[in-house]
């Protein structure tokens, strides 16, 4: 059995590790987009780079005799998810989406919502002047016109222009501690946090720190999973689904 995992997330790596270690002889290939300079590689076969759209992915599925396709990409990697749905349909390969649950506000949170980075940008001036931007290095062009605001931008790799003119870059990779996030907010005098609803505990400490500090949080909603694609929320659920395909 050959399983292709569209990866790049902690859940994808955990799934590949479990599939590789189950002793069944399953062939596991993990595909990474190649946007991170030094990714954490999972066990098994790894390919890096795009497929050339839905048609290219469908051709790869046929050529490499893939039996199961699992989309375990980042919740905001919308393009590859819709390409995966079309490719799986064209190649007649079962598809599962592995998506960690999103975050939900609790008592004391001051959350505001937007459907995209472009929609979030004009909302920011009404929420604060010193922004902790944790949406990654992609999409900073949406905030490039906000010349009166100061940004602390945290990402794994350095962002490229266009980006906000008043900006400090913090290169770091989670998981992040609550004490560390508290100190960042205090030291940089942050008065608004911007985040994507990526979910996961590894990066949720910033939400607690913002709540404690009374700082508003601007949350970018995640795009939907393509219609008709079944969803697992944990690697264990994905493993159980794969077992039904053997």
């Amino acid at each position: 059995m050959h399983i292709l995992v569209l990866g790049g997330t902690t859940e994808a790596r955990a799934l590949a590790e479990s599939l590789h270690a189950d002793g069944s002889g399953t062939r596991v290939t993990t595909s990474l987009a190649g946007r991170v300079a030094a990714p954490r590689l999972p066990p098994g076969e790894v390919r890096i780079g795009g497929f050339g759209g839905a048609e290219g992915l469908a051709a790869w599925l046929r050529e490499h005799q893939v039996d199961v396709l699992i989309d375990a990409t980042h919740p905001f990697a919308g393009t590859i998810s819709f390409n995966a749905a079309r490719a799986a349909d064209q190649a007649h390969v079962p598809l599962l989406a592995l998506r960690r649950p999103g975050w939900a506000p609790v008592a004391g949170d001051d959350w505001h919502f937007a459907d995209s980075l472009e929609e979030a940008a004009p909302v920011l001036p009404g929420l604060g002047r010193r922004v902790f931007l944790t949406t990654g290095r992609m999409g900073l062009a949406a905030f490039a016109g906000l010349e009166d605001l100061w940004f602390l931008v945290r990402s794994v790799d350095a962002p490229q222009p266009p980006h906000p003119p008043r900006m400090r870059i913090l290169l770091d990779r989670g998981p992040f501690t609550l004490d560390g996030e508290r100190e960042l907010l205090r030291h940089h005098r942050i008065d608004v946090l911007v985040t994507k609803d990526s979910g996961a505990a590894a990066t949720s400490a910033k939400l607690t720190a913002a709540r404690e500090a009374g700082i508003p949080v601007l949350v970018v909603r995640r795009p939907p999973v393509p219609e008709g694609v079944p969803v697992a929320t944990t690697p264990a659920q994905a493993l159980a689904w794969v077992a039904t395909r053997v």
Side-chain angles (χ1 to χ4, degrees), residues 160-236:
Q160 300 297 319
H163 50 59
R166 302 177 61 210
M167 176 183 75
R168 178 173 178 181
I169 300 171
L170 176 61
L171 299 182
D172 204 356
R173 186 199 300 261
F176 303 106
T177 66
L178 179 55
D179 285 343
E181 301 293 61
R182 287 168 174 157
E183 177 59 20
L184 275 181
L185 299 184
R186 184 200 64 79
H187 179 77
H188 295 285
R189 295 178 287 117
I190 300 298
D191 58 12
V192 59
L193 166 67
V194 182
T195 183
K196 292 178 178 178
D197 180 19
S198 56
T203 57
S204 64
K206 60 191 173 188
L207 302 175
T208 303
R211 182 188 318 123
E212 293 176 350
I215 293 172
V217 180
L218 182 52
V219 180
V220 180
R221 296 185 180 95
R222 58 174 63 178
V225 172
E227 186 176 357
V229 176
V231 178
T233 58
T234 65

Side-chain angles (χ1 to χ4, degrees), residues 114-178:
D115 288 326
S116 66
L117 295 176
E118 291 74 17
E119 185 178 300
V123 177
L124 265 182
L127 297 176
R129 312 299 293 178
R130 297 183 64 84
V131 185
F132 186 19
L133 189 61
T134 64
T135 57
R137 66 186 179 92
M138 310 296 289
L140 294 187
F143 305 95
L146 299 178
E147 300 179 354
D148 294 333
L149 274 58
W150 182 88
F151 289 82
L152 176 65
V153 176
R154 182 165 67 191
S155 63
V156 176
D157 295 318
Q160 300 297 319
H163 50 59
R166 302 177 61 210
M167 176 183 75
R168 178 173 178 181
I169 300 171
L170 176 61
L171 299 182
D172 204 356
R173 186 199 300 261
F176 303 106
T177 66
L178 179 55

Side-chain angles (χ1 to χ4, degrees), residues 67-138:
D67 300 292
V68 169
L69 176 60
I70 299 179
D71 172 19
T73 56
H74 192 276
F76 282 83
T79 299
I80 183 60
S81 295
F82 281 89
N83 284 345
R86 291 193 292 269
D89 184 62
Q90 293 174 20
H92 306 290
V93 172
L95 169 64
L96 175 74
L98 174 55
R99 291 289 186 275
R100 69 184 74 135
W103 292 315
V106 299
D109 281 327
D110 180 14
W111 284 18
H112 306 258
F113 294 90
D115 288 326
S116 66
L117 295 176
E118 291 74 17
E119 185 178 300
V123 177
L124 265 182
L127 297 176
R129 312 299 293 178
R130 297 183 64 84
V131 185
F132 186 19
L133 189 61
T134 64
T135 57
R137 66 186 179 92
M138 310 296 289

